[in-house]
Every structure is written in C-alpha cells, then in structure tokens.
Short mmCIF file of all heavy atoms in Angstrom, two decimals:
data_model
loop_
_atom_site.label_atom_id
_atom_site.label_comp_id
_atom_site.label_asym_id
_atom_site.label_seq_id
_atom_site.Cartn_x
_atom_site.Cartn_y
_atom_site.Cartn_z
N LEU A 1 -50.35 -94.65 119.42
CA LEU A 1 -49.14 -94.64 120.19
C LEU A 1 -48.49 -93.24 120.22
O LEU A 1 -47.88 -92.85 121.21
CB LEU A 1 -48.15 -95.67 119.67
CG LEU A 1 -48.50 -97.17 119.98
CD1 LEU A 1 -47.61 -98.11 119.17
CD2 LEU A 1 -48.45 -97.42 121.47
N GLY A 2 -48.53 -92.58 119.09
CA GLY A 2 -47.94 -91.21 119.01
C GLY A 2 -48.70 -90.31 119.99
O GLY A 2 -48.09 -89.44 120.72
N ALA A 3 -50.03 -90.39 120.00
CA ALA A 3 -50.81 -89.46 120.92
C ALA A 3 -50.54 -89.85 122.37
O ALA A 3 -50.35 -88.93 123.22
CB ALA A 3 -52.35 -89.69 120.65
N VAL A 4 -50.43 -91.08 122.71
CA VAL A 4 -50.12 -91.53 124.07
C VAL A 4 -48.76 -91.02 124.53
O VAL A 4 -48.52 -90.49 125.56
CB VAL A 4 -50.22 -93.06 124.25
CG1 VAL A 4 -49.66 -93.46 125.62
CG2 VAL A 4 -51.62 -93.54 124.08
N PHE A 5 -47.71 -91.20 123.58
CA PHE A 5 -46.38 -90.75 123.95
C PHE A 5 -46.34 -89.23 124.11
O PHE A 5 -45.63 -88.79 125.02
CB PHE A 5 -45.43 -91.16 122.73
CG PHE A 5 -44.02 -90.84 123.05
CD1 PHE A 5 -43.29 -91.66 123.86
CD2 PHE A 5 -43.38 -89.72 122.41
CE1 PHE A 5 -41.88 -91.36 124.13
CE2 PHE A 5 -42.08 -89.47 122.69
CZ PHE A 5 -41.35 -90.27 123.52
N THR A 6 -47.04 -88.47 123.31
CA THR A 6 -46.93 -87.01 123.40
C THR A 6 -47.74 -86.45 124.57
O THR A 6 -47.31 -85.55 125.28
CB THR A 6 -47.47 -86.41 122.08
OG1 THR A 6 -46.70 -86.91 121.00
CG2 THR A 6 -47.36 -84.88 122.14
N GLU A 7 -48.96 -86.98 124.79
CA GLU A 7 -49.88 -86.38 125.76
C GLU A 7 -49.89 -87.01 127.13
O GLU A 7 -50.28 -86.37 128.09
CB GLU A 7 -51.28 -86.45 125.11
CG GLU A 7 -51.44 -85.76 123.83
CD GLU A 7 -52.74 -86.04 123.10
OE1 GLU A 7 -53.58 -86.71 123.78
OE2 GLU A 7 -52.86 -85.64 121.95
N SER A 8 -49.40 -88.22 127.31
CA SER A 8 -49.50 -88.90 128.54
C SER A 8 -48.15 -88.79 129.34
O SER A 8 -47.06 -88.68 128.66
CB SER A 8 -49.78 -90.37 128.36
OG SER A 8 -49.72 -91.06 129.54
N ASN A 9 -48.21 -88.75 130.64
CA ASN A 9 -47.01 -88.74 131.44
C ASN A 9 -46.21 -90.01 131.30
O ASN A 9 -44.94 -90.00 131.35
CB ASN A 9 -47.34 -88.46 132.90
CG ASN A 9 -47.84 -87.13 133.22
OD1 ASN A 9 -47.44 -86.17 132.48
ND2 ASN A 9 -48.75 -86.94 134.13
N LYS A 10 -46.90 -91.15 131.11
CA LYS A 10 -46.21 -92.41 131.01
C LYS A 10 -46.51 -92.96 129.56
O LYS A 10 -47.64 -93.26 129.20
CB LYS A 10 -46.81 -93.40 132.02
CG LYS A 10 -46.14 -94.85 131.87
CD LYS A 10 -46.94 -95.87 132.51
CE LYS A 10 -46.51 -97.31 132.23
NZ LYS A 10 -46.58 -97.56 130.72
N PRO A 11 -45.42 -93.22 128.80
CA PRO A 11 -45.60 -93.84 127.46
C PRO A 11 -45.91 -95.32 127.65
O PRO A 11 -45.62 -95.95 128.66
CB PRO A 11 -44.22 -93.63 126.78
CG PRO A 11 -43.25 -93.61 127.97
CD PRO A 11 -43.97 -92.95 129.10
N TRP A 12 -46.50 -95.90 126.58
CA TRP A 12 -46.72 -97.31 126.62
C TRP A 12 -45.45 -98.07 126.27
O TRP A 12 -44.75 -97.70 125.35
CB TRP A 12 -47.89 -97.70 125.58
CG TRP A 12 -49.20 -97.37 126.15
CD1 TRP A 12 -49.49 -96.65 127.29
CD2 TRP A 12 -50.46 -97.71 125.66
NE1 TRP A 12 -50.82 -96.55 127.47
CE2 TRP A 12 -51.48 -97.20 126.44
CE3 TRP A 12 -50.83 -98.42 124.44
CZ2 TRP A 12 -52.82 -97.40 126.15
CZ3 TRP A 12 -52.18 -98.58 124.20
CH2 TRP A 12 -53.14 -98.09 125.02
N GLU A 13 -45.22 -99.10 127.06
CA GLU A 13 -43.98 -99.87 126.83
C GLU A 13 -44.19 -101.06 125.92
O GLU A 13 -44.22 -102.22 126.29
CB GLU A 13 -43.50 -100.41 128.22
CG GLU A 13 -43.21 -99.29 129.22
CD GLU A 13 -43.17 -99.83 130.60
OE1 GLU A 13 -42.36 -100.68 130.95
OE2 GLU A 13 -43.94 -99.33 131.51
N VAL A 14 -44.43 -100.69 124.61
CA VAL A 14 -44.78 -101.70 123.68
C VAL A 14 -44.08 -101.41 122.30
O VAL A 14 -43.75 -100.23 122.02
CB VAL A 14 -46.31 -101.81 123.42
CG1 VAL A 14 -47.06 -102.22 124.66
CG2 VAL A 14 -46.80 -100.44 122.89
N GLU A 15 -43.89 -102.43 121.59
CA GLU A 15 -43.42 -102.37 120.15
C GLU A 15 -44.22 -103.42 119.40
O GLU A 15 -44.27 -104.58 119.91
CB GLU A 15 -41.90 -102.59 120.08
CG GLU A 15 -41.37 -102.28 118.73
CD GLU A 15 -39.84 -102.21 118.77
OE1 GLU A 15 -39.23 -102.08 119.81
OE2 GLU A 15 -39.23 -102.30 117.67
N ILE A 16 -44.75 -103.09 118.30
CA ILE A 16 -45.57 -103.96 117.55
C ILE A 16 -45.22 -104.09 116.07
O ILE A 16 -44.59 -103.22 115.52
CB ILE A 16 -47.07 -103.60 117.73
CG1 ILE A 16 -47.38 -102.30 117.01
CG2 ILE A 16 -47.47 -103.60 119.16
CD1 ILE A 16 -48.86 -101.94 117.04
N VAL A 17 -45.67 -105.18 115.49
CA VAL A 17 -45.52 -105.46 114.01
C VAL A 17 -46.95 -105.76 113.50
O VAL A 17 -47.64 -106.57 114.06
CB VAL A 17 -44.54 -106.55 113.73
CG1 VAL A 17 -44.69 -107.00 112.28
CG2 VAL A 17 -43.12 -106.06 113.89
N VAL A 18 -47.27 -105.09 112.40
CA VAL A 18 -48.48 -105.46 111.60
C VAL A 18 -47.98 -105.96 110.28
O VAL A 18 -47.25 -105.36 109.60
CB VAL A 18 -49.41 -104.23 111.46
CG1 VAL A 18 -50.56 -104.57 110.56
CG2 VAL A 18 -49.89 -103.82 112.79
N ALA A 19 -48.40 -107.22 109.97
CA ALA A 19 -47.95 -107.83 108.66
C ALA A 19 -49.13 -108.21 107.88
O ALA A 19 -50.18 -108.73 108.44
CB ALA A 19 -47.03 -109.00 108.98
N GLU A 20 -49.03 -108.10 106.55
CA GLU A 20 -50.09 -108.52 105.67
C GLU A 20 -49.45 -109.34 104.56
O GLU A 20 -48.54 -108.90 103.93
CB GLU A 20 -50.83 -107.32 105.01
CG GLU A 20 -51.94 -107.68 104.01
CD GLU A 20 -52.58 -106.51 103.42
OE1 GLU A 20 -52.28 -105.36 103.83
OE2 GLU A 20 -53.46 -106.74 102.51
N VAL A 21 -49.98 -110.49 104.36
CA VAL A 21 -49.52 -111.39 103.28
C VAL A 21 -50.24 -111.10 101.99
O VAL A 21 -51.48 -110.90 101.94
CB VAL A 21 -49.60 -112.88 103.61
CG1 VAL A 21 -51.08 -113.31 103.72
CG2 VAL A 21 -48.85 -113.77 102.64
N GLY A 22 -49.48 -110.93 100.89
CA GLY A 22 -50.05 -110.64 99.60
C GLY A 22 -50.26 -111.90 98.74
O GLY A 22 -49.90 -113.02 99.15
N ASP A 23 -50.86 -111.69 97.58
CA ASP A 23 -50.98 -112.79 96.62
C ASP A 23 -49.64 -113.22 96.05
O ASP A 23 -49.47 -114.40 95.58
CB ASP A 23 -51.93 -112.36 95.48
CG ASP A 23 -53.30 -112.14 96.04
OD1 ASP A 23 -53.77 -112.80 96.95
OD2 ASP A 23 -54.07 -111.25 95.43
N THR A 24 -48.71 -112.35 96.06
CA THR A 24 -47.32 -112.62 95.64
C THR A 24 -46.37 -112.13 96.74
O THR A 24 -46.69 -111.24 97.48
CB THR A 24 -46.98 -111.97 94.33
OG1 THR A 24 -47.01 -110.53 94.51
CG2 THR A 24 -47.96 -112.34 93.23
N PRO A 25 -45.10 -112.67 96.74
CA PRO A 25 -44.16 -112.21 97.71
C PRO A 25 -43.89 -110.68 97.65
O PRO A 25 -43.65 -110.05 98.72
CB PRO A 25 -42.91 -113.00 97.42
CG PRO A 25 -43.36 -114.25 96.77
CD PRO A 25 -44.61 -113.82 95.98
N GLU A 26 -43.94 -110.13 96.47
CA GLU A 26 -43.71 -108.70 96.30
C GLU A 26 -44.78 -107.87 96.98
O GLU A 26 -44.53 -106.71 97.29
CB GLU A 26 -43.59 -108.37 94.81
CG GLU A 26 -42.38 -108.95 94.09
CD GLU A 26 -42.50 -110.43 93.85
OE1 GLU A 26 -43.69 -110.98 93.87
OE2 GLU A 26 -41.53 -111.13 93.62
N ALA A 27 -45.93 -108.42 97.19
CA ALA A 27 -47.09 -107.70 97.77
C ALA A 27 -47.12 -107.81 99.29
O ALA A 27 -47.97 -107.20 99.94
CB ALA A 27 -48.36 -108.22 97.16
N ASP A 28 -46.21 -108.61 99.90
CA ASP A 28 -46.19 -108.69 101.32
C ASP A 28 -45.85 -107.38 102.00
O ASP A 28 -45.00 -106.63 101.46
CB ASP A 28 -45.18 -109.76 101.83
CG ASP A 28 -45.54 -111.14 101.41
OD1 ASP A 28 -46.73 -111.41 101.08
OD2 ASP A 28 -44.66 -112.06 101.46
#
C-alpha cells in the first residue's frame, strides 16, 4: 500500500486489519 500510494497517481481506497489469535489473550 505504501508503494501504491507513493508511486501511483491514484491511491487505493482501502483500509484493512490483519489479526492473529494467540494461545493466550496476551499473544493476540
């Protein structure tokens, strides 16, 4: 996304979340 925003005339109109569940809540 950083490369697209910097180098392209049109940025991508997106916002995303990546989540990983851990073995314990502290590891989420």
